[in-house]
Amino acid sequence: MANSAPGEHYREGLSLTDLFKMFSDSETAENWFIQVRWGDRVKCPHCGSHNIQDPTTYPEMRFRCRACRKFFSARAGTVMQGSNFDCQTWAIAIFQMKASLEGVSSLKLHRDLNIAQKNAWHLAHRIREAFNDNDVNFPGPAEADETFIGGKRKNMSNRKRKTLKDRETSEVTAKAVPGTDADALQGSVTENTEKTATVYTDEARA
């Protein structure tokens, strides 16, 4: 699945025109999602069975699990579930956002995909949430810092936000941590970086 990630190929020269050729319609994009997610053996997201009926009589639910008898699509259990956007829109938006080291604005998605800017903002927000929810740790070198959110520092509890940034990719992850002690802060860094990563921090002892 890692070899199917969009970023590397996009940076090698995939233009927006190339993307629309690659995902010429929603069906083509859906097949790409299926291949990336399951390969040649579709798996039921409800019970894990590979005994799958394909296709079914429901256009929006391509698959039916013969084990648990539930219908599902490639969207089931993903950030795309419940969305009104077709698979072509999702695929192109994901490629654009994954490939850009500086991020893609909702205004650009609005123009490129010909959708309302409000909808483009929600689309981008969902994709960012999906990126931040993966299990891939920063390989480093990475920077770690913390910041207090809201109000005067002296009036705050110990809860603060810990931020990590990968220097090579400029990707950033942020999470709330329960305290300012070494266990809390170092634990957050450990969870989000590879064991071999070089981590740069400020002079705080924690």
Side-chain angles (χ1 to χ4, degrees):
M1 184 170 178
N3 292 333
S4 300
E8 179 181 351
H9 300 295
Y10 190 94
R11 293 188 191 108
E12 289 177 353
L14 220 56
S15 67
L16 186 60
T17 302
D18 293 328
L19 279 178
F20 274 102
K21 289 179 180 178
M22 181 177 177
F23 302 115
S24 56
D25 52 38
S26 185
E27 182 180 357
T28 302
E30 180 188 26
N31 288 333
W32 179 78
F33 280 121
I34 291 170
Q35 185 63 37
V36 169
R37 184 175 185 181
W38 292 304
D40 296 327
R41 294 192 70 198
V42 176
K43 180 178 178 180
C44 175
H46 303 289
C47 72
S49 173
H50 290 287
N51 189 2
I52 304 299
Q53 175 187 340
D54 174 25
T56 70
T57 56
Y58 294 94
E60 299 300 321
M61 294 290 181
R62 174 172 168 175
F63 305 108
R64 176 183 176 272
C65 176
R66 294 189 177 96
C68 69
R69 301 183 179 180
K70 291 184 178 180
F71 291 85
F72 63 94
S73 70
R75 298 167 176 256
T78 74
V79 69
M80 298 184 292
Q81 183 170 323
S83 168
N84 291 325
F85 292 120
D86 60 20
C87 288
Q88 182 193 44
T89 300
W90 275 102
I92 293 173
I94 289 171
F95 261 76
Q96 286 184 288
M97 294 190 65
K98 186 65 176 178
S100 175
L101 298 181
E102 298 179 356
V104 174
S105 69
S106 61
L107 186 61
K108 178 172 174 54
L109 289 178
H110 150 69
R111 291 194 301 260
D112 290 348
L113 300 175
N114 194 28
I115 59 177
Q117 187 175 356
K118 178 182 178 181
N119 294 336
W121 185 91
H122 286 290
L123 178 66
H125 182 67
R126 283 198 185 189
I127 294 173
R128 290 191 189 99
E129 282 189 336
F131 288 164
N132 291 334
D133 193 37
N134 59 39
D135 296 325
V136 179
N137 292 335
F138 291 161
E143 299 176 27
D145 203 353
E146 71 280 342
T147 181
F148 288 88
I149 305 297
K152 294 183 178 180
R153 180 167 180 161
K154 67 179 181 179
N155 296 329
M156 293 181 183
S157 66
N158 284 333
R159 192 172 184 81
K160 58 161 64 173
R161 183 176 294 273
K162 187 71 179 178
T163 307
L164 279 165
K165 175 183 178 182
D166 190 288
R167 286 188 169 185
E168 293 295 324
T169 65
S170 295
E171 290 185 78
V172 175
T173 184
K175 64 179 293 186
V177 290
T180 59
D181 57 283
D183 287 340
L185 299 183
Q186 291 177 18
S188 176
V189 173
T190 302
E191 290 174 2
N192 291 278
T193 55
E194 298 288 351
K195 291 182 179 180
T196 57
T198 300
V199 178
Y200 296 88
T201 67
D202 55 25
E203 296 179 355
R205 292 186 178 182

